[in-house]
Amino acid sequence: MISQKRRKLLSWESPIPRQATDKKRRGLFAGGAVLALLIAAMISSGWLMRPSSAGWSGATNTGWYANNTASTDFYISTSADLAGLAELVNSDDGRVSFDNQTIHLLNDIDLESAEWTPIGNTSDKSFAGTFDGGGHKILNIKVTGEITGAGLFGYCASADVSNLTVTGSVQGSEHVGGVVGNAAGATAVRNCVNYASVSGNSNVGGIVGQGGAQNYTGPHKSDHLLRRKNGTI
């Protein structure tokens, strides 16, 4: 025969009233549901998948190069990194052409419509390396002013630019393109897409300004045709 004390041990009940426990359980379920809805909303709005460097205002970073100048491959992932590339190529002191070196873009970058200085901003400061966009996008580029050699890249000399999409707007005077303003020598522009508006006075192209189709291979995916003309595309 089970004693009264043992019976109590075998039939132990929580000191918390059942009603309170059920209420707490319902609260936990409700909290979980709210969290799930919040995460779903963040994903659908793109908040968790934002391109790098939202809010960029012109800062530059060249540490990715300075820390290993002898390398043949460099990897960039932020707007500051990309601006650092322009700074290195355009520098008056110790400029780097990146000849025989490759820049790899690791993710989409949003330039936030801040004013962009083209990579290779004069013919004697041309980019001469390889830039592999890795299928990523440069979003909201903004180039303005009566400049010659306007685009994400201004001047390229025997360079290779590939696997990249550009959006935003590019305005210049001559040699104006969404991706490359002036593609000189054996420069190759491959598998690039332009959705940026492009305008200028002469040698204006959706993807390549000066240089034309002989410098481009791949699908001509552009709201603005790959061609040389005067005016706005």
Side-chain angles (χ1 to χ4, degrees), residues 52-125:
S52 174
S53 305
W56 180 70
S57 60
T60 64
N61 173 45
T62 59
W64 54 266
Y65 173 77
N67 293 334
N68 193 13
T69 59
S71 178
T72 57
D73 291 273
F74 300 96
Y75 300 87
I76 62 175
S77 60
T78 70
S79 298
D81 291 345
L82 188 66
L85 173 61
E87 182 177 279
L88 289 165
V89 175
N90 300 341
S91 176
D92 290 324
D93 182 21
R95 68 171 298 272
V96 185
S97 70
F98 288 94
D99 187 21
N100 294 318
Q101 294 175 306
T102 300
I103 311 297
H104 301 271
L105 183 62
L106 297 181
N107 48 249
D108 294 353
I109 287 178
D110 193 341
L111 295 177
E112 294 286 322
S113 296
E115 190 68 28
W116 177 252
T117 300
I119 301 165
N121 60 349
T122 63
S123 59
D124 60 344
K125 296 178 181 178

